[in-house]
Amino acid sequence: MQHVRRAAQLIRSIAASGTGVILVTHDLSTVRALADRIVVLSLGRVAYNASARHLSADQLWGLMASGTLASAGQ
């Protein structure tokens, strides 16, 4: 897990300098810990593109599974 901590520190450092960082992952704990904005792609289309603050963990799981926010609990 040391490599995960190092990667998270590097991402935070780069972002703090004002450089945008694109992180592609299915690890939701990492997403929720590091993301300011979340983009979910489903079958080649954007299913969600907004602030990470407005999306619960359950909604994020639902978006990833179904591609729709309505199915994610809203």
Side-chain angles (χ1 to χ4, degrees):
M1 288 309 212
Q2 181 69 11
H3 64 282
V4 174
R5 261 192 309 276
R6 285 184 190 164
Q9 289 171 340
L10 179 61
I11 291 167
R12 286 187 182 108
S13 173
I14 293 169
S17 75
T19 301
V21 177
I22 297 173
L23 177 64
V24 179
T25 184
H26 286 92
D27 180 356
L28 297 190
S29 61
T30 300
V31 170
R32 298 197 49 83
L34 297 174
D36 295 322
R37 177 171 211 83
I38 294 176
V39 178
V40 176
L41 301 176
S42 177
L43 301 174
R45 67 173 182 79
V46 176
Y48 183 85
N49 180 3
S51 171
R53 281 183 284 198
H54 300 116
L55 195 61
S56 72
D58 287 341
Q59 289 172 319
L60 183 52
W61 274 113
L63 276 165
M64 290 174 62
S66 70
T68 62
L69 190 56
S71 297
Q74 281 214 5

